[in-house]
Amino acid sequence: MASNIPTFTLNNGVKIPSIGVGTWMGGYEGVEEEAYRTTLLALQNGYRYIDTASGYNTELAVGQAIKDSDVPREEIVVQTKLSPMAHGPRKVKESFEKSLELLGTGWIDVYLIHMPTALNEDWTPSDHPYTETWSQMEALLDTGKVKSIGISNFAIPLIEDLLASAKVVPALNQVELHPYLPSLELKTFCEQKHIHLQAWTPLGKGGDSPLLKDHVITSLAKKHSVTAAQIVLSWGVQRGTSVVPKSSNADRLKQNITLTVLTAEEMDAVTKIHVQDSKKHKSLFHVGAVTEKGGRINGVIPLEKFKWDPALYQ
Ligand code: A2P
């Protein structure tokens, strides 16, 4: 049975569940198997929103799990993302069709530009403008095979730039968000522009995440008799952002879709963690060693291309 978590309504009237399951499994062997198991478990435990991407190599597995789950397709929101290597002319449509074929879901509910900076085949950053990619994304709406289009990893100046020539306002922007990186300005900006904001890595990568050991969060967890992860996710949803935590464990999947209600004061306490201790105001994204490799996202894209504040990626 689907869980009774809140839904959010996108700027085109489409509704999405406030919690989805992430299926980025890292770049190691066995990602397909883990993504299949995770998606199936998630659907069996009430999730109705699955987040994947061309670049995760999990679309085939996600699609197979959806088919095997016996959950009616119309009940599931399937979200995937354009490969950063598919920004050029005609490539957007080709890449979209490939994703749809791998998923085998008949249509894609939400399709996002994965990152503003395109990559060449050799993984060097390309200068292909995302504004042009966006107009190709808009054209996909005419195919009737995608319900909503959006963006991911776009900071305010890039969204402003995109909106200057866009015919369709992106329905959603998926970025790294959690109490150590609440991106308050971006949130206000997106609200003003009617772009729904969604959190990737909402638990700050779980496991060893400092978030789950943070005193403010653990004391609220104790008070509410829930886990630290549930406080972090409840805060995320209650502030109006959807979240896509990943877990391959049935108990944690269940936990992550069971919210508690925080008071206004408690919400405020979590929102202020990064202000009260400025060392805690930071990205928890270490994949590709943003810092170790000289401020390059995934080791290749200079941080300034994304226009994120370098001080938060130390
Ligand atoms: P696991 O798959 O073993 O549950 P994020 O979505 O922020 O990137 O975090 C994903 C990581 O968080 C995964 O390593 C996942 O491990 C872990 N995780 C997911 N849910 C929880 C939870 N409720 N408590 C602790 N760790 C979690």
Side-chain angles (χ1 to χ4, degrees):
M1 215 180 60
S3 75
N4 61 355
I5 51 164
T7 55
F8 290 116
T9 305
L10 304 179
N11 61 18
N12 55 3
V14 169
K15 287 189 189 319
I16 56 161
S18 49
I19 302 175
V21 67
T23 63
W24 184 73
M25 304 298 173
Y28 58 91
E29 273 181 37
V31 288
E32 290 274 344
E33 207 182 309
E34 196 183 347
Y36 175 83
R37 220 170 50 78
T38 296
T39 308
L40 194 58
L41 263 179
L43 290 167
Q44 288 164 347
N45 283 288
Y47 287 73
R48 292 295 180 266
Y49 191 5
I50 318 289
D51 175 61
T52 181
S54 165
Y56 298 173
N57 294 323
T58 55
E59 289 173 314
L60 184 65
V62 164
Q64 192 57 48
I66 289 173
K67 282 184 213 105
D68 294 349
S69 72
D70 288 336
V71 175
R73 167 67 184 95
E74 317 70 66
E75 282 188 21
I76 307 170
V77 174
V78 178
Q79 172 168 291
T80 190
K81 312 182 193 81
L82 176 74
S83 162
M85 286 164 189
H87 283 221
R90 290 185 310 279
K91 285 197 194 155
V92 173
K93 189 156 186 286
E94 254 170 50
S95 188
F96 173 80
E97 281 168 359
K98 182 72 189 161
S99 287
L100 189 54
E101 186 192 322
L102 286 169
L103 284 160
T105 48
W107 72 92
I108 287 169
D109 294 276
V110 187
Y111 194 52
L112 310 177
I113 296 186
H114 201 150
M115 8 177 132
T117 304
L119 290 176
N120 298 312
E121 294 289 335
D122 63 359
W123 275 71
T124 52
S126 127
D127 285 327
H128 192 83
Y130 48 77
T131 44
E132 197 183 296
T133 303
W134 185 249
S135 72
Q136 293 167 43
M137 295 283 286
E138 290 172 329
L140 291 177
L141 289 169
D142 298 335
T143 65
K145 289 182 182 162
V146 58
K147 292 191 181 168
S148 309
I149 53 171
I151 50 185
S152 181
N153 299 306
F154 274 64
I156 295 174
L158 275 57
I159 306 175
E160 277 173 332
D161 191 28
L162 183 127
L163 289 177
S165 59
K167 293 193 196 78
V168 176
V169 175
L172 189 154
N173 184 20
Q174 189 194 74
V175 296
E176 179 184 356
L177 288 179
H178 44 68
Y180 284 10
L181 196 69
S183 297
L184 304 180
E185 267 181 55
L186 176 66
K187 184 168 175 286
T188 304
F189 176 85
C190 285
E191 279 162 5
Q192 284 164 353
K193 301 292 176 191
H194 307 288
I195 299 170
H196 175 74
L197 198 59
Q198 179 172 86
W200 62 254
T201 231
L203 298 173
K205 293 256 156 272
D208 293 336
S209 167
L211 280 178
L212 304 187
K213 297 185 197 104
D214 193 284
H215 175 66
V216 174
I217 290 163
T218 52
S219 30
L220 284 174
K222 203 165 168 205
K223 188 168 158 201
H224 285 256
S225 303
V226 295
T227 64
Q230 285 169 300
I231 295 294
V232 171
L233 298 175
S234 299
W235 169 84
V237 171
Q238 223 173 299
R239 75 198 281 249
T241 58
S242 50
V243 294
V244 290
K246 174 248 148 197
S247 178
S248 306
N249 170 285
D251 288 339
R252 289 192 283 278
L253 274 170
K254 278 186 221 162
Q255 242 184 60
N256 295 351
I257 204 163
T258 309
L259 300 172
T260 188
V261 178
L262 301 171
T263 64
E265 273 173 12
E266 291 169 341
M267 284 295 292
D268 205 39
V270 179
T271 305
K272 286 204 176 121
I273 294 175
H274 75 292
V275 181
Q276 273 158 6
D277 181 350
S278 63
K279 286 198 292 300
K280 292 182 176 173
H281 189 196
K282 60 181 178 186
S283 161
L284 293 171
F285 172 72
H286 301 302
V287 179
V290 172
T291 45
E292 286 162 37
K293 295 194 181 172
R296 286 174 182 265
I297 294 158
N298 280 351
V300 286
I301 305 169
L303 204 55
E304 62 266 21
K305 281 226 172 221
F306 277 31
K307 300 258 192 287
W308 295 118
D309 180 356
L312 304 177
Y313 290 80
Q314 302 299 312

